[in-house]
Amino acid sequence: MTKEDLKIVFMGTPEFAVGTLRALVEGGYQVVAVVTQPDKPVGRHGSVLQPSEVKKYALEHSIPVLQPEKMKDPEFVEQLRAFNADLQVVVAFRMLPEVVWAMPPLGTFNVHAALLPQYRGAAPINWAVINGETTTGVTTFFLDHDIDTGRVIMRRPFDIPDDADVEYVYDGLMRLGAEVALETIDHIIAGNGQVESIPQEEMEESGPLHAAPKIFKETCDVNWNQPSKRIYDFIRGLSPYPGAWTTLVQEGGAPVVMKIFKSSKCEGRMPEGDPGTIFVEKNKIYVTTADGQLRIDTLQLAGKKRMDAAAFLNGRALEGGKLVHS
């Protein structure tokens, strides 16, 4: 078996998945079809349909695209079966029913942006940064009945610098994920369809397992009554998207939502006032935390442009203001 003979169906939706799909196409692998989410309504009235990034790439390269509303839909299952794929590769997609993941003779493997069994779930990159991890990585594993629990094929680590935000880690793992996906396929080809894999319950972990649940708006609300390091990691773990937010309250004014995209630790600055209290010094914004202060470097008020602290303070008084956790 060669990579030109191996028929692959690729499943994914966001830009993160495009990294692997692109690597497959440019690497000469035979991608016979792509499965992605239905086009998403956008615009004021939802009258415009926006295709996924994976669909855009597939159409540009004349790859057939399937967009089922329901993965168990009999018509979709028959369409998928007609491609007679040997292997299915999944990156950043939804949960698959057994009738789909068990279909190809060589199985279906997923590229997960964490070192399983750590950070099972929908938002592994965000949660790794939020939790202050110094290392994350990519795992390929065979799908089974439960989410992110299948037999592990490969794991590759990725370092997280202390000043890195989600965008940095996302870009790095997108590239690493593509590399590991191709390496996984090459191992399958070299083994003539067989590849060694390890049950996750047999993998040793030095500490408790962390989950990576889906992130909602309320998840992103900054709690200032926490240590500075915890808040610093929380902000960079949500930057640039979806963005950590808080509520700015000033005497005589209506509360307004503020997003914070970048902050800096302020070693040695002692707490002044209750957590959330704002101090301005030399065009810099400081906020009191449970054990010190953080400097707010990049922010955005609701309905306004994103800007650095100095530009934000131009003509604006913040003294006496407070940032509040809802």
Side-chain angles (χ1 to χ4, degrees):
M1 180 185 296
T2 67
K3 66 181 183 182
E4 292 82 9
D5 298 325
L6 184 73
K7 289 188 286 187
I8 298 171
V9 166
F10 181 86
M11 300 185 183
T13 294
E15 179 190 20
F16 188 87
V18 176
T20 299
L21 177 57
R22 180 185 297 111
L24 289 170
V25 172
E26 294 180 356
Y29 296 83
Q30 186 185 178
V31 180
V32 295
V34 156
V35 181
T36 189
Q37 295 278 37
D39 293 357
K40 184 179 180 180
V42 295
R44 179 172 247 176
H45 304 291
S47 57
V48 178
L49 293 178
Q50 178 71 41
S52 72
E53 294 302 314
V54 163
K55 179 180 179 179
K56 292 177 187 177
Y57 183 89
L59 294 180
E60 289 171 1
H61 293 81
S62 301
I63 302 172
V65 176
L66 301 179
Q67 296 178 274
E69 291 284 349
K70 297 181 179 180
M71 299 301 291
K72 289 184 179 180
D73 180 73
E75 182 178 355
F76 161 69
V77 172
E78 288 309 307
Q79 289 176 331
L80 184 62
R81 198 185 307 278
F83 287 102
N84 198 28
D86 302 300
L87 178 71
Q88 292 175 159
V89 178
V90 181
V91 184
F93 198 50
R94 54 179 142 166
M95 187 174 181
L96 302 181
E98 183 174 2
V99 68
V100 172
W101 58 256
M103 186 180 297
L106 300 184
T108 300
F109 77 79
N110 184 280
V111 180
H112 188 72
L115 296 175
L116 291 174
Q118 291 289 355
Y119 294 102
R120 293 169 176 158
I125 303 176
N126 296 94
W127 285 109
V129 181
I130 288 171
N131 289 337
E133 302 285 3
T134 57
T135 304
T136 184
V138 166
T139 303
T140 53
F141 69 97
F142 285 116
L143 293 188
D144 62 12
H145 293 92
D146 298 315
I147 296 176
D148 300 336
T149 60
R151 296 175 64 95
V152 169
I153 309 167
M154 290 185 177
R155 296 200 305 175
R156 293 289 182 273
F158 180 86
D159 291 336
I160 306 176
D162 184 62
D163 61 349
D165 61 13
V166 161
E167 186 172 41
Y168 172 90
V169 183
Y170 181 101
D171 290 344
L173 292 183
M174 181 168 62
R175 292 189 295 270
L176 181 61
E179 294 172 8
V180 177
L182 267 57
E183 192 173 344
T184 298
I185 295 171
D186 290 344
H187 274 280
I188 293 173
I189 293 172
N192 197 26
Q194 301 297 315
V195 63
E196 183 179 355
S197 59
I198 304 172
Q200 290 187 36
E201 55 268 25
E202 295 181 8
M203 304 180 75
E204 294 185 6
E205 291 294 313
S206 59
L209 295 183
H210 298 286
K214 186 175 180 179
I215 290 175
F216 298 95
K217 180 181 178 181
E218 55 268 26
T219 311
C220 306
D221 188 1
V222 181
N223 182 358
W224 298 100
N225 196 26
Q226 295 186 98
S228 297
K229 177 64 163 63
R230 178 67 179 165
I231 300 172
Y232 170 79
D233 291 335
F234 184 81
I235 290 169
R236 67 192 182 97
L238 295 168
S239 180
Y241 183 82
W245 64 273
T246 187
T247 302
L248 172 63
V249 177
Q250 291 182 278
E251 187 175 350
V256 60
V257 171
M258 173 193 290
K259 281 194 172 184
I260 303 173
F261 296 97
K262 185 178 180 182
S263 66
S264 296
K265 292 177 287 185
C266 304
E267 308 294 349
R269 284 187 69 96
M270 299 305 294
E272 296 183 49
D274 296 333
T277 302
I278 298 171
F279 293 89
V280 177
E281 294 179 9
K282 299 178 180 179
N283 281 335
K284 292 182 173 59
I285 302 171
Y286 298 92
V287 182
T288 301
T289 66
D291 65 350
Q293 289 188 341
L294 276 182
R295 190 179 75 222
I296 306 303
D297 299 322
T298 309
L299 63 156
Q300 180 181 19
L301 286 185
K304 304 295 183 180
K305 293 182 179 180
R306 176 175 169 174
M307 60 187 72
D308 62 32
F312 180 83
L313 289 170
N314 187 19
R316 185 190 306 270
L318 281 184
E319 289 294 357
K322 193 164 185 178
L323 299 181
V324 178
H325 176 71
S326 297

